[in-house]
Amino acid sequence: MKNVPFKGIIAYPITPFDQDEKVNIPLFKKLVERLVASGSHGIAPLGSTGVLPYLSDEEKEAITEATIQQVNKRIPTLVGVSNLTTEKTVYHAKFAENAGADAVMIIPMSYWKLTDDEIVTHYDTVASKISIPIMAYNNPATGGVDMSPTLLKRLLEIPNVTMIKESTGDVQRMHYLRKELGEDVAFYNGSNPLALAAFTAGAKGWCTAAPNLIPELNISLYKAIENNQLKEAQDIFYKQVELLKFIVAKGLPRTVKAGLNILGEDGGNLRSPLKPLQQCDIEELETIINHLKN
Amino acid sequence: MKNVPFKGIIAYPITPFDQDEKVNIPLFKKLVERLVASGSHGIAPLGSTGVLPYLSDEEKEAITEATIQQVNKRIPTLVGVSNLTTEKTVYHAKFAENAGADAVMIIPMSYWKLTDDEIVTHYDTVASKISIPIMAYNNPATGGVDMSPTLLKRLLEIPNVTMIKESTGDVQRMHYLRKELGEDVAFYNGSNPLALAAFTAGAKGWCTAAPNLIPELNISLYKAIENNQLKEAQDIFYKQVELLKFIVAKGLPRTVKAGLNILGEDGGNLRSPLKPLQQCDIEELETIINHLKN
Amino acid sequence: MKNVPFKGIIAYPITPFDQDEKVNIPLFKKLVERLVASGSHGIAPLGSTGVLPYLSDEEKEAITEATIQQVNKRIPTLVGVSNLTTEKTVYHAKFAENAGADAVMIIPMSYWKLTDDEIVTHYDTVASKISIPIMAYNNPATGGVDMSPTLLKRLLEIPNVTMIKESTGDVQRMHYLRKELGEDVAFYNGSNPLALAAFTAGAKGWCTAAPNLIPELNISLYKAIENNQLKEAQDIFYKQVELLKFIVAKGLPRTVKAGLNILGEDGGNLRSPLKPLQQCDIEELETIINHLKN
Amino acid sequence: MKNVPFKGIIAYPITPFDQDEKVNIPLFKKLVERLVASGSHGIAPLGSTGVLPYLSDEEKEAITEATIQQVNKRIPTLVGVSNLTTEKTVYHAKFAENAGADAVMIIPMSYWKLTDDEIVTHYDTVASKISIPIMAYNNPATGGVDMSPTLLKRLLEIPNVTMIKESTGDVQRMHYLRKELGEDVAFYNGSNPLALAAFTAGAKGWCTAAPNLIPELNISLYKAIENNQLKEAQDIFYKQVELLKFIVAKGLPRTVKAGLNILGEDGGNLRSPLKPLQQCDIEELETIINHLKN
């Protein structure tokens, strides 16, 4: 049987920096603790939210170890190890496994558009070097390549590629995955504004940075779906949809940091060229968050 | 209170032609009767499915009268009256009202891209000449113009524009409509593969040609949603999704005609340049339909 | 040898309306005369500029006859006869031939996306009913279908389809036409801002509404190219590019009418839902036109 | 006066790897020498062709030094120093300057979509740390961000940002640059199939990997333009357009390596996940190259 350690709300922490733009590990651990304490069902460091591509190898390793240490097996961990070259992806995947990660997430990062064969070989090479499961991640907007459903099907034939995360924002992709690959395939939604539609379509989980700001709403949406309460799920979704759209539109690292500040929490600094959210956007986010409290 | 005569499954009949490519009214009436008898909640002649733009004025009038006569008030009728010029749209809208239609559907057909002001004036002029309600229809793929949520909001300020049909295939548009315009706005889904996602998002009805072929599945999806049975709705949706995607991908008039033939019904001929579905596509449709019987 | 009656600047007149939105034939003739007198190499009524799809059959016939009468064989005429149905396209093509047109232009207007076979049969049917040459017109933005280079190649196998007008705005399409179809194929540019690039790529002519406003600049660009004067062509092109971009961006019927007014000419009225250019746009156009005089 | 060291054909070498996927510096130098010897007007290591993002810092430094040493001031060098973080971009820009580069090329690489302000600050920070000129490079397909003409205008206000390379494949962008920024702004074409259109529009140079395979054709196109020989330029362009389209469609590193092999030269290996061109594509390239010899 396939090894699928995740369901429900998989929370993505940001990577906070100090004033010199160095990674702030103590603050990172505090942010991870908040996510675990709030009831998230999984934790995923070194995703897009965690600005993976902006970090050095040493920083990635420190983040990986800090996460696993802080979570301490309370919930499963999913570590991002994507890299442009196959060699580096293998390196980070092995590091994550040795550090104790439950699974790794890999997006086929692409500068030169990869052929399907190149992508399959890339995953196959990494998969053969580790024994923990892999979540294959499709997000053309950040990764630069759009894996077709046919390609995803090929990837799932690799034994430890057991999960798919879809972030194209097209609910029909999920219909295809479910219809074509069968009910047993674990697919996850990575597009925040599609949270309701994706769960309705049968997504096993929701990969999201939103629990940094509104964990109760995220978790209660999942519970309403689990309890077959459609109208309730609809109400809970419409409460949070504005925030979900806002954080996606303005960029997750910037908006999560700003949102944490609004909630009275320290979100650290960003690394250049990323800059803090503009003042007018901060005010809009404040309005959205305050509106949720009522 | 707003006049909103439709909910549930609004069925779109095709317009059948005889061997000389003339409209076949007796066969059209028979096809309408099938839709009413199958339990559809509304009937909508002269839509895209009914090849509205390929018909002469006289043919449109004959179809309108035949529908209203055949339906005979058993369920409400929604008559398509879209035209490139405002003058002709007024003409057909008045004809439909006089013939006894419950509402008219208008898409802002566009050869020259219309400005928002031009679209508002177009609807306003038509609306001022009739007293039955109007469903404003957004479908950039066929109409050539994509009405923004902001524009749809302006249209809803016209008293008898009371309904919106969204066919962009983007479920987030429906989120916006619901969130921005309030729970009272009646929006309808016109994108077949989004049927489940749209109902989940709060759509009041589903405008579809599918009841020509699979009325029971369409209606039972709506009932499962009404009964708050999410898992059941999911199962019913996944049964029909392949057919829904097929008829959209290959063109509704061609596929409905071919599907009727497969079911042993007369679907008439098409009008040139439209040709029948190709043999390989007919075989694929046959497989999909046979698969549904089991 | 192929019958190719056009080269150089093929001018598109607008269709002016009176205050009751009826076609104003006397004014139309006057506008045609301006185009002939200014030195245009061909004249093309009932194009997009002439709002073909907004006209009744009788109006199209009146415009066709008025053009041929006014031009009186001084330059060749290219009459637009596109229609959604094949039957109507045949009807108007025969009318144009009988009225004395030198060629007809046909875009495969599409409500339901046509297959390649449907498009070929459409052209083939029309071509078999007339003996004057046909210009096949590709413009996905207004026609709704994008004919691939492969399809255009098939169309050119029909004996009297002798010319292609490309308006996708992608100069690489022209490279393909020239490279794949040989130097003998007559292709024409329908994208105003590409005028220089298209002539450089070997276009035989430029189909444009711009001669209604700046005939000298249009014609002198063509002459510079003919004389192998690249730097001069570049200078002449950069003089007019702003106007070319403006009239495309804001819509040809609206901007040509406004431009005629700025030049002190009567441009008539538009037919609803089309409205006159907004005041701020009129002012911008005035600035562009005045700038050209210096 | 602005410091603009480049015009004409700016050649991009590939970065060859050995059998262990290590950078092969001796072979790289040989490939650079070929480009210089063939008459290229400039040389640009560490571009997309040179798989910049797949290299470690040490490898980038070795390539930079090898280029400058091999070229030995015979023609100017343009070194790619783009990086996701500002800090790293500064680091590599300073290294290139110290090593003796004539200019650096910077594309605003983007994982998280950058705001205009973030991009300006990024360039400004780098520019303030070096004194050689910068070529700002716009290529949404590889960089992930599309810099608007307005943004490019802002970048040109930074004193040592003196050149723009446009690779959107839209010739209208070049019209805008020339029209809006004046004849003095040096813009370069980075889209191979647009070579003729771009020179016609006034591009000062052509940034291209094609001289690895067909230097004579690339250089003679530039000379024909310089000599105001439009028809000759057209002929020379049409000779090479098929190859230009092929190498872009199939990926520059793969196709240049394959083309070198076809020409009897050693092109080294690629770094995973990139794989050699597939056999059928190699055969197509062979046909294209052989066709050029006749």
Side-chain angles (χ1 to χ4, degrees), chain A residues 171-172 174-175 178-179 193-194 196-197 199-202 225 228-231 234-235 237-238 241-242, chain B residues 171-172 174-175 178-179 193-194 196 199-202 225 228-231 234-235 237-238 241-242:
Chain A
V171 74
Q172 294 196 45
M174 294 180 190
H175 297 160
R178 160 80 174 247
K179 189 77 191 169
L194 282 192
L196 175 61
F199 276 133
T200 308
I225 294 287
N228 205 14
Q229 294 302 320
L230 177 55
K231 306 292 181 201
Q234 203 180 85
D235 286 344
F237 173 70
Y238 275 115
V241 67
E242 234 176 318
Chain B
V171 73
Q172 295 196 45
M174 295 179 191
H175 297 160
R178 160 80 174 247
K179 189 77 192 170
L194 282 191
L196 175 61
F199 275 134
T200 308
I225 294 287
N228 204 14
Q229 293 302 320
L230 178 55
K231 305 291 181 202
Q234 203 180 84
D235 287 343
F237 173 70
Y238 275 115
V241 67
E242 233 177 319

Short mmCIF file of all heavy atoms in Angstrom, two decimals, chain A residues 171-172 174-175 178-179 193-194 196-197 199-202 225 228-231 234-235 237-238 241-242, chain B residues 171-172 174-175 178-179 193-194 196 199-202 225 228-231 234-235 237-238 241-242:
data_model
loop_
_atom_site.label_atom_id
_atom_site.label_comp_id
_atom_site.label_asym_id
_atom_site.label_seq_id
_atom_site.Cartn_x
_atom_site.Cartn_y
_atom_site.Cartn_z
N VAL A 171 -9.67 23.66 -11.38
CA VAL A 171 -10.28 22.55 -10.66
C VAL A 171 -10.45 21.33 -11.57
O VAL A 171 -10.50 20.19 -11.10
CB VAL A 171 -11.62 22.99 -10.01
CG1 VAL A 171 -12.70 23.15 -11.03
CG2 VAL A 171 -12.05 22.01 -8.94
N GLN A 172 -10.48 21.56 -12.88
CA GLN A 172 -10.63 20.42 -13.79
C GLN A 172 -9.42 19.48 -13.78
O GLN A 172 -9.54 18.31 -14.09
CB GLN A 172 -10.89 20.91 -15.22
CG GLN A 172 -12.22 21.63 -15.34
CD GLN A 172 -12.66 21.78 -16.77
OE1 GLN A 172 -12.58 20.84 -17.55
NE2 GLN A 172 -13.10 22.97 -17.13
N MET A 174 -8.01 18.53 -11.12
CA MET A 174 -8.28 17.61 -10.02
C MET A 174 -9.32 16.57 -10.44
O MET A 174 -9.23 15.41 -10.08
CB MET A 174 -8.75 18.39 -8.81
CG MET A 174 -7.61 19.25 -8.30
SD MET A 174 -8.03 20.22 -6.87
CE MET A 174 -6.57 21.28 -6.81
N HIS A 175 -10.29 17.00 -11.24
CA HIS A 175 -11.25 16.04 -11.77
C HIS A 175 -10.52 14.96 -12.55
O HIS A 175 -10.79 13.78 -12.41
CB HIS A 175 -12.26 16.72 -12.71
CG HIS A 175 -13.10 17.74 -12.05
ND1 HIS A 175 -13.76 18.73 -12.73
CD2 HIS A 175 -13.38 17.94 -10.74
CE1 HIS A 175 -14.42 19.48 -11.87
NE2 HIS A 175 -14.20 19.03 -10.67
N ARG A 178 -8.53 12.54 -10.24
CA ARG A 178 -9.42 11.62 -9.54
C ARG A 178 -10.01 10.59 -10.50
O ARG A 178 -10.06 9.40 -10.20
CB ARG A 178 -10.52 12.44 -8.87
CG ARG A 178 -11.77 11.69 -8.53
CD ARG A 178 -11.59 10.90 -7.23
NE ARG A 178 -12.87 10.32 -6.88
CZ ARG A 178 -13.58 10.65 -5.81
NH1 ARG A 178 -13.09 11.52 -4.96
NH2 ARG A 178 -14.75 10.11 -5.57
N LYS A 179 -10.44 11.08 -11.65
CA LYS A 179 -11.12 10.23 -12.62
C LYS A 179 -10.14 9.24 -13.26
O LYS A 179 -10.42 8.06 -13.40
CB LYS A 179 -11.74 11.13 -13.71
CG LYS A 179 -12.66 10.42 -14.68
CD LYS A 179 -14.02 10.15 -14.05
CE LYS A 179 -14.85 9.22 -14.91
NZ LYS A 179 -16.04 8.74 -14.22
N PRO A 193 -7.40 29.92 -3.26
CA PRO A 193 -8.79 30.29 -3.56
C PRO A 193 -9.64 29.10 -4.03
O PRO A 193 -10.85 29.21 -4.11
CB PRO A 193 -8.67 31.34 -4.67
CG PRO A 193 -7.26 31.85 -4.58
CD PRO A 193 -6.46 30.68 -4.10
N LEU A 194 -9.01 27.99 -4.35
CA LEU A 194 -9.76 26.80 -4.79
C LEU A 194 -10.03 25.84 -3.63
O LEU A 194 -10.46 24.71 -3.86
CB LEU A 194 -8.99 26.06 -5.87
CG LEU A 194 -9.04 26.63 -7.28
CD1 LEU A 194 -8.47 25.61 -8.27
CD2 LEU A 194 -10.47 26.98 -7.70
N LEU A 196 -12.30 25.26 -1.36
CA LEU A 196 -13.60 24.59 -1.28
C LEU A 196 -13.82 23.68 -2.48
O LEU A 196 -14.19 22.50 -2.34
CB LEU A 196 -14.72 25.64 -1.21
CG LEU A 196 -16.15 25.09 -1.25
CD1 LEU A 196 -16.43 24.18 -0.07
CD2 LEU A 196 -17.15 26.24 -1.30
N ALA A 197 -13.57 24.19 -3.67
CA ALA A 197 -13.78 23.40 -4.89
C ALA A 197 -12.89 22.15 -4.88
O ALA A 197 -13.31 21.08 -5.32
CB ALA A 197 -13.49 24.26 -6.12
N PHE A 199 -11.60 20.47 -2.20
CA PHE A 199 -12.09 19.47 -1.24
C PHE A 199 -13.34 18.79 -1.82
O PHE A 199 -13.51 17.58 -1.71
CB PHE A 199 -12.41 20.12 0.11
CG PHE A 199 -11.22 20.27 1.02
CD1 PHE A 199 -10.96 21.46 1.67
CD2 PHE A 199 -10.36 19.19 1.23
CE1 PHE A 199 -9.87 21.59 2.52
CE2 PHE A 199 -9.26 19.32 2.08
CZ PHE A 199 -9.01 20.52 2.72
N THR A 200 -14.20 19.59 -2.42
CA THR A 200 -15.40 19.02 -3.03
C THR A 200 -15.04 18.01 -4.11
O THR A 200 -15.72 17.01 -4.31
CB THR A 200 -16.24 20.16 -3.67
OG1 THR A 200 -16.43 21.17 -2.69
CG2 THR A 200 -17.57 19.64 -4.14
N ALA A 201 -13.94 18.29 -4.81
CA ALA A 201 -13.52 17.39 -5.88
C ALA A 201 -12.77 16.17 -5.34
O ALA A 201 -12.40 15.29 -6.11
CB ALA A 201 -12.63 18.15 -6.87
N GLY A 202 -12.54 16.12 -4.03
CA GLY A 202 -11.93 14.93 -3.45
C GLY A 202 -10.48 15.09 -3.01
O GLY A 202 -9.82 14.09 -2.72
N ILE A 225 -16.17 19.64 5.67
CA ILE A 225 -16.15 18.73 4.52
C ILE A 225 -16.17 17.29 5.02
O ILE A 225 -16.95 16.45 4.55
CB ILE A 225 -14.89 18.99 3.66
CG1 ILE A 225 -14.94 20.37 3.02
CG2 ILE A 225 -14.73 17.89 2.61
CD1 ILE A 225 -15.92 20.52 1.88
N ASN A 228 -19.44 16.12 5.95
CA ASN A 228 -20.47 16.15 4.90
C ASN A 228 -21.43 17.33 5.09
O ASN A 228 -22.60 17.24 4.74
CB ASN A 228 -21.23 14.81 4.91
CG ASN A 228 -21.85 14.51 3.56
OD1 ASN A 228 -21.52 15.13 2.55
ND2 ASN A 228 -22.76 13.56 3.53
N GLN A 229 -20.93 18.43 5.62
CA GLN A 229 -21.76 19.61 5.85
C GLN A 229 -21.46 20.66 4.79
O GLN A 229 -20.68 21.58 5.00
CB GLN A 229 -21.51 20.19 7.25
CG GLN A 229 -21.95 19.27 8.37
CD GLN A 229 -23.43 18.95 8.27
OE1 GLN A 229 -24.25 19.81 7.94
NE2 GLN A 229 -23.79 17.67 8.50
N LEU A 230 -22.10 20.52 3.63
CA LEU A 230 -21.78 21.38 2.51
C LEU A 230 -22.11 22.84 2.76
O LEU A 230 -21.30 23.73 2.50
CB LEU A 230 -22.51 20.87 1.26
CG LEU A 230 -22.34 21.70 -0.01
CD1 LEU A 230 -20.86 21.87 -0.33
CD2 LEU A 230 -23.05 21.01 -1.16
N LYS A 231 -23.30 23.10 3.25
CA LYS A 231 -23.69 24.50 3.46
C LYS A 231 -22.76 25.17 4.47
O LYS A 231 -22.37 26.32 4.31
CB LYS A 231 -25.14 24.58 3.98
CG LYS A 231 -26.18 23.87 3.11
CD LYS A 231 -26.38 24.53 1.75
CE LYS A 231 -27.44 23.79 0.96
NZ LYS A 231 -27.36 24.02 -0.49
N GLN A 234 -19.51 25.88 2.87
CA GLN A 234 -19.67 27.05 2.00
C GLN A 234 -19.56 28.34 2.82
O GLN A 234 -18.85 29.27 2.43
CB GLN A 234 -21.04 26.95 1.33
CG GLN A 234 -21.19 27.71 0.04
CD GLN A 234 -22.60 27.54 -0.52
OE1 GLN A 234 -23.50 28.28 -0.14
NE2 GLN A 234 -22.78 26.60 -1.41
N ASP A 235 -20.25 28.39 3.93
CA ASP A 235 -20.21 29.59 4.79
C ASP A 235 -18.79 29.85 5.29
O ASP A 235 -18.30 30.98 5.25
CB ASP A 235 -21.15 29.42 5.98
CG ASP A 235 -22.61 29.54 5.57
OD1 ASP A 235 -22.87 30.05 4.45
OD2 ASP A 235 -23.48 29.11 6.34
N PHE A 237 -16.01 28.84 4.02
CA PHE A 237 -15.13 29.22 2.91
C PHE A 237 -15.31 30.68 2.54
O PHE A 237 -14.34 31.42 2.35
CB PHE A 237 -15.41 28.33 1.70
CG PHE A 237 -14.67 28.78 0.47
CD1 PHE A 237 -13.30 28.64 0.38
CD2 PHE A 237 -15.34 29.38 -0.58
CE1 PHE A 237 -12.60 29.06 -0.74
CE2 PHE A 237 -14.65 29.82 -1.70
CZ PHE A 237 -13.28 29.67 -1.78
N TYR A 238 -16.57 31.11 2.42
CA TYR A 238 -16.79 32.50 2.01
C TYR A 238 -16.28 33.50 3.04
O TYR A 238 -15.96 34.62 2.71
CB TYR A 238 -18.26 32.74 1.66
CG TYR A 238 -18.55 32.36 0.22
CD1 TYR A 238 -19.40 31.32 -0.11
CD2 TYR A 238 -17.92 33.03 -0.82
CE1 TYR A 238 -19.64 30.96 -1.44
CE2 TYR A 238 -18.15 32.68 -2.15
CZ TYR A 238 -19.01 31.65 -2.45
OH TYR A 238 -19.21 31.31 -3.76
N VAL A 241 -12.39 33.61 2.00
CA VAL A 241 -11.93 33.66 0.61
C VAL A 241 -11.21 34.97 0.28
O VAL A 241 -10.23 34.98 -0.48
CB VAL A 241 -13.10 33.40 -0.38
CG1 VAL A 241 -14.12 34.51 -0.35
CG2 VAL A 241 -12.56 33.18 -1.79
N GLU A 242 -11.65 36.06 0.88
CA GLU A 242 -11.00 37.33 0.59
C GLU A 242 -9.54 37.32 1.05
O GLU A 242 -8.65 37.79 0.33
CB GLU A 242 -11.76 38.46 1.29
CG GLU A 242 -12.17 39.57 0.34
CD GLU A 242 -12.98 40.62 1.06
OE1 GLU A 242 -13.86 40.22 1.88
OE2 GLU A 242 -12.76 41.82 0.82
N VAL B 171 -14.04 29.13 -11.47
CA VAL B 171 -14.92 29.10 -10.30
C VAL B 171 -14.73 30.33 -9.41
O VAL B 171 -15.63 30.73 -8.68
CB VAL B 171 -14.73 27.78 -9.51
CG1 VAL B 171 -13.43 27.77 -8.76
CG2 VAL B 171 -15.89 27.53 -8.58
N GLN B 172 -13.57 30.97 -9.53
CA GLN B 172 -13.33 32.16 -8.71
C GLN B 172 -14.26 33.32 -9.09
O GLN B 172 -14.53 34.19 -8.28
CB GLN B 172 -11.88 32.60 -8.81
CG GLN B 172 -10.93 31.57 -8.20
CD GLN B 172 -9.56 32.15 -7.95
OE1 GLN B 172 -9.44 33.25 -7.42
NE2 GLN B 172 -8.53 31.41 -8.31
N MET B 174 -17.35 32.96 -9.65
CA MET B 174 -18.55 32.73 -8.85
C MET B 174 -18.34 33.13 -7.41
O MET B 174 -19.23 33.68 -6.78
CB MET B 174 -18.97 31.28 -8.98
CG MET B 174 -19.39 30.98 -10.41
SD MET B 174 -19.86 29.29 -10.66
CE MET B 174 -19.94 29.30 -12.47
N HIS B 175 -17.16 32.89 -6.89
CA HIS B 175 -16.85 33.36 -5.54
C HIS B 175 -17.03 34.86 -5.46
O HIS B 175 -17.61 35.38 -4.53
CB HIS B 175 -15.41 33.02 -5.17
CG HIS B 175 -15.11 31.55 -5.13
ND1 HIS B 175 -13.84 31.06 -5.22
CD2 HIS B 175 -15.93 30.48 -5.04
CE1 HIS B 175 -13.90 29.73 -5.16
NE2 HIS B 175 -15.14 29.37 -5.06
N ARG B 178 -20.77 35.91 -5.57
CA ARG B 178 -21.44 35.63 -4.30
C ARG B 178 -20.96 36.57 -3.20
O ARG B 178 -21.75 37.10 -2.42
CB ARG B 178 -21.15 34.17 -3.92
CG ARG B 178 -21.34 33.81 -2.49
CD ARG B 178 -22.81 33.58 -2.15
NE ARG B 178 -22.90 33.09 -0.79
CZ ARG B 178 -23.29 31.87 -0.44
NH1 ARG B 178 -23.71 31.06 -1.35
NH2 ARG B 178 -23.30 31.50 0.83
N LYS B 179 -19.65 36.75 -3.16
CA LYS B 179 -19.05 37.55 -2.09
C LYS B 179 -19.40 39.03 -2.26
O LYS B 179 -19.75 39.72 -1.31
CB LYS B 179 -17.53 37.36 -2.15
CG LYS B 179 -16.76 37.94 -0.98
CD LYS B 179 -16.87 37.07 0.25
CE LYS B 179 -16.34 37.79 1.49
NZ LYS B 179 -16.66 37.05 2.71
N PRO B 193 -18.22 21.34 -17.13
CA PRO B 193 -17.29 20.62 -16.25
C PRO B 193 -17.18 21.24 -14.85
O PRO B 193 -16.61 20.63 -13.96
CB PRO B 193 -15.96 20.72 -16.99
CG PRO B 193 -16.31 21.03 -18.41
CD PRO B 193 -17.56 21.84 -18.33
N LEU B 194 -17.72 22.44 -14.67
CA LEU B 194 -17.67 23.07 -13.35
C LEU B 194 -18.95 22.83 -12.55
O LEU B 194 -19.16 23.47 -11.51
CB LEU B 194 -17.46 24.58 -13.49
CG LEU B 194 -16.06 25.07 -13.81
CD1 LEU B 194 -16.00 26.59 -13.64
CD2 LEU B 194 -15.02 24.42 -12.91
N LEU B 196 -20.18 20.69 -10.42
CA LEU B 196 -20.09 20.44 -8.98
C LEU B 196 -19.51 21.64 -8.24
O LEU B 196 -20.05 22.10 -7.23
CB LEU B 196 -19.22 19.20 -8.73
CG LEU B 196 -18.92 18.87 -7.26
CD1 LEU B 196 -20.19 18.58 -6.49
CD2 LEU B 196 -17.95 17.69 -7.17
N PHE B 199 -22.12 24.54 -8.05
CA PHE B 199 -23.17 24.34 -7.04
C PHE B 199 -22.60 24.51 -5.65
O PHE B 199 -23.19 25.12 -4.78
CB PHE B 199 -23.79 22.95 -7.19
CG PHE B 199 -24.90 22.88 -8.23
CD1 PHE B 199 -24.94 21.85 -9.17
CD2 PHE B 199 -25.91 23.84 -8.25
CE1 PHE B 199 -25.96 21.79 -10.11
CE2 PHE B 199 -26.94 23.77 -9.20
CZ PHE B 199 -26.96 22.75 -10.12
N THR B 200 -21.39 23.96 -5.45
CA THR B 200 -20.74 24.11 -4.14
C THR B 200 -20.52 25.58 -3.81
O THR B 200 -20.60 25.99 -2.65
CB THR B 200 -19.37 23.38 -4.17
OG1 THR B 200 -19.57 22.05 -4.63
CG2 THR B 200 -18.76 23.35 -2.80
N ALA B 201 -20.24 26.37 -4.83
CA ALA B 201 -19.99 27.80 -4.61
C ALA B 201 -21.29 28.57 -4.45
O ALA B 201 -21.26 29.77 -4.19
CB ALA B 201 -19.19 28.35 -5.78
N GLY B 202 -22.43 27.91 -4.63
CA GLY B 202 -23.70 28.59 -4.39
C GLY B 202 -24.51 28.92 -5.63
O GLY B 202 -25.47 29.70 -5.55
N ILE B 225 -27.03 18.01 -3.96
CA ILE B 225 -26.58 19.29 -3.41
C ILE B 225 -27.67 19.88 -2.52
O ILE B 225 -27.41 20.32 -1.39
CB ILE B 225 -26.24 20.28 -4.55
CG1 ILE B 225 -25.03 19.80 -5.37
CG2 ILE B 225 -26.02 21.69 -3.99
CD1 ILE B 225 -23.70 19.92 -4.66
N ASN B 228 -27.75 18.46 0.78
CA ASN B 228 -26.53 18.58 1.59
C ASN B 228 -25.73 17.27 1.63
O ASN B 228 -25.06 16.98 2.61
CB ASN B 228 -26.91 19.04 3.00
CG ASN B 228 -25.74 19.75 3.69
OD1 ASN B 228 -24.76 20.12 3.04
ND2 ASN B 228 -25.86 19.94 4.98
N GLN B 229 -25.82 16.49 0.55
CA GLN B 229 -25.11 15.21 0.49
C GLN B 229 -23.87 15.36 -0.39
O GLN B 229 -23.89 15.02 -1.57
CB GLN B 229 -26.04 14.12 -0.06
CG GLN B 229 -27.20 13.79 0.85
CD GLN B 229 -26.72 13.32 2.23
OE1 GLN B 229 -25.74 12.58 2.33
NE2 GLN B 229 -27.38 13.78 3.28
N LEU B 230 -22.79 15.85 0.22
CA LEU B 230 -21.60 16.16 -0.55
C LEU B 230 -20.96 14.93 -1.19
O LEU B 230 -20.62 14.93 -2.38
CB LEU B 230 -20.59 16.88 0.35
CG LEU B 230 -19.26 17.23 -0.30
CD1 LEU B 230 -19.45 18.04 -1.57
CD2 LEU B 230 -18.40 18.02 0.68
N LYS B 231 -20.79 13.89 -0.42
CA LYS B 231 -20.12 12.68 -0.96
C LYS B 231 -20.94 12.11 -2.11
O LYS B 231 -20.40 11.67 -3.13
CB LYS B 231 -19.94 11.61 0.12
CG LYS B 231 -19.21 12.09 1.37
CD LYS B 231 -17.74 12.39 1.13
CE LYS B 231 -17.06 12.84 2.43
NZ LYS B 231 -15.84 13.60 2.24
N GLN B 234 -20.54 14.21 -5.12
CA GLN B 234 -19.23 13.95 -5.70
C GLN B 234 -19.27 12.70 -6.59
O GLN B 234 -18.79 12.71 -7.72
CB GLN B 234 -18.22 13.74 -4.57
CG GLN B 234 -16.79 14.00 -4.92
CD GLN B 234 -15.89 13.76 -3.70
OE1 GLN B 234 -15.49 12.65 -3.42
NE2 GLN B 234 -15.58 14.82 -2.97
N ASP B 235 -19.88 11.65 -6.06
CA ASP B 235 -19.98 10.40 -6.84
C ASP B 235 -20.78 10.62 -8.13
O ASP B 235 -20.37 10.18 -9.21
CB ASP B 235 -20.65 9.31 -6.00
CG ASP B 235 -19.73 8.78 -4.92
OD1 ASP B 235 -18.51 9.03 -5.02
OD2 ASP B 235 -20.23 8.16 -3.97
N PHE B 237 -21.31 13.36 -9.70
CA PHE B 237 -20.57 14.24 -10.61
C PHE B 237 -19.49 13.46 -11.36
O PHE B 237 -19.35 13.61 -12.58
CB PHE B 237 -19.93 15.40 -9.84
CG PHE B 237 -19.03 16.23 -10.70
CD1 PHE B 237 -19.55 17.04 -11.69
CD2 PHE B 237 -17.65 16.18 -10.54
CE1 PHE B 237 -18.72 17.80 -12.50
CE2 PHE B 237 -16.81 16.94 -11.35
CZ PHE B 237 -17.34 17.75 -12.33
N TYR B 238 -18.74 12.66 -10.64
CA TYR B 238 -17.64 11.94 -11.31
C TYR B 238 -18.17 10.93 -12.33
O TYR B 238 -17.47 10.59 -13.27
CB TYR B 238 -16.70 11.29 -10.29
CG TYR B 238 -15.65 12.27 -9.83
CD1 TYR B 238 -15.59 12.72 -8.51
CD2 TYR B 238 -14.74 12.79 -10.73
CE1 TYR B 238 -14.64 13.64 -8.10
CE2 TYR B 238 -13.77 13.71 -10.33
CZ TYR B 238 -13.74 14.14 -9.02
OH TYR B 238 -12.79 15.07 -8.62
N VAL B 241 -18.74 13.39 -15.47
CA VAL B 241 -17.78 14.43 -15.85
C VAL B 241 -17.15 14.18 -17.23
O VAL B 241 -16.89 15.11 -18.00
CB VAL B 241 -16.70 14.64 -14.76
CG1 VAL B 241 -15.79 13.44 -14.63
CG2 VAL B 241 -15.89 15.90 -15.04
N GLU B 242 -16.93 12.90 -17.54
CA GLU B 242 -16.32 12.61 -18.83
C GLU B 242 -17.22 13.04 -19.99
O GLU B 242 -16.76 13.63 -20.97
CB GLU B 242 -16.04 11.11 -18.93
CG GLU B 242 -14.60 10.80 -19.29
CD GLU B 242 -14.36 9.31 -19.28
OE1 GLU B 242 -14.87 8.63 -18.36
OE2 GLU B 242 -13.67 8.84 -20.20
#
